[in-house]
Structures are given as structure tokens and as C-alpha cells.
Amino acid sequence: MKCLLWLQIDEQQFNKILGMIAAGKKEGATLVSGGSRVGNRGYFIAPTVFADVKDHMRIAQEEIFGPVQSLMRFDSIEELVERANNTVYGLAASVMTKDLDKALYLSTALRAGTVWVNCHNALAAQTPFGGFKQSGIGRELGEYALDAYTEVKTVIIATPHKNS
């Protein structure tokens, strides 16, 4: 099995992720894999998987931006949507399914700026990327990204009527 190591941008982000991993353990999630630094140079963190994650846990409620996956059980697709949307964030979601109807339903129902189906973090320069709720303002990539670099102005000039 091929596994990528995740290099963090700086020590602050590295420590934030390790702090979230520690919070997951402290709050009772089951550490299935990873959860630690890799090597003694750089800011590498092993891909980390938690099971038995509950909705109130920090690792379920906050954006980690690191190699941490939280596994949560659900009884119905409606429950899944309600719980997934019950957060102040909504950057992105990934749906893994063979059922196209479920994929389409979830793509619409999930309050996230990007929904990937049967993939994750697949981006293209022409597709806008950005979140809902407190997951950012505006969009990166695509035509919508130009909005951040422009300021629209309307100018209306009254001119005398021409009689020609």
C-alpha cells in the first residue's frame, strides 16, 4: 500500500495538527492509525485515522488542514446530512458511493463549497474552490476567483439630448 507523508507548512501548523490529534485521543476517539510525527527533521505527520468519533469532539467540529480522518457511524442518509451540516464550517466534503442517486442527493444537501464524489482533493484551475459558512470568503480558481482582483464601479452620465 502506497502512503504519502504529509509535510506541514510550518511549526505552527504542525503543532496545531498534533494538538488536534491529542484532543481526539483525550475526548475518547479510537486512534486506528498514525497520530504522530514521522522522523525527527521537518514537519511530517503520519496519516492519522480515528474511529468512534462523536459529533461534539473537536476533530469532528474543526477544520484540521492536516492528515487526520475521522470515521463516524450513521443510521440514515438524512441523519448523515443533518450531522455533517451541523458545524460552522463547510469547505469541502467527499462522498464515496456506487449509488449515483445518493451521490446527487448528498452533493445538493451538504452545505459545503466543494463536494467530491469517489475522489478527494481533485482540483482543476477552471473550477472554483471555496467554502460555505465560516470556511472562507469568495472563491479561488476559475472565473469566480477574478472577483477578488476586481472592483466593480458604475458611472452614469446625464448628457443633453442631441437633435440631429
Side-chain angles (χ1 to χ4, degrees), residues 10-163:
D10 59 24
E11 186 176 13
Q12 181 179 357
Q13 181 63 17
F14 175 79
N15 289 332
K16 177 189 177 216
I17 294 166
L18 290 178
M20 293 297 288
I21 291 169
K25 293 176 190 176
K26 182 179 178 183
E27 292 177 344
T30 302
L31 180 63
V32 175
S33 178
S36 62
R37 176 183 200 142
V38 175
N40 57 6
R41 295 182 62 208
Y43 303 118
F44 292 98
I45 297 175
T48 302
V49 178
F50 281 102
D52 306 315
V53 177
K54 306 299 180 214
D55 293 355
H56 69 276
M57 294 178 178
R58 286 183 63 201
I59 59 174
Q61 288 294 315
E62 297 182 25
E63 293 177 322
I64 300 174
F65 295 111
V68 180
Q69 178 68 53
S70 298
L71 304 179
M72 304 167 76
R73 294 183 183 275
F74 60 92
D75 292 321
S76 69
I77 198 164
E78 294 78 17
E79 175 197 352
L80 175 132
V81 169
E82 182 180 337
R83 290 171 58 200
N85 289 337
N86 189 24
T87 176
V88 297
Y89 299 109
L91 183 58
S94 293
V95 175
M96 304 299 173
T97 183
K98 293 179 182 177
D99 186 328
L100 183 58
D101 289 334
K102 285 181 183 172
L104 293 172
Y105 172 79
L106 288 168
S107 297
T108 302
L110 293 171
R111 296 287 302 146
T114 298
V115 178
W116 292 292
V117 178
N118 296 331
C119 59
H120 179 74
N121 209 25
L123 298 171
Q126 66 274 23
T127 58
F129 179 78
F132 288 2
K133 303 185 261 185
Q134 290 185 28
S135 289
I137 299 171
R139 295 290 180 261
E140 299 172 8
L141 307 174
E143 184 179 336
Y144 290 97
L146 298 175
D147 290 343
Y149 300 99
T150 59
E151 186 172 22
V152 177
K153 179 186 269 188
T154 301
V155 177
I156 300 171
I157 300 174
T159 60
H161 292 106
K162 289 179 124 182
N163 294 327

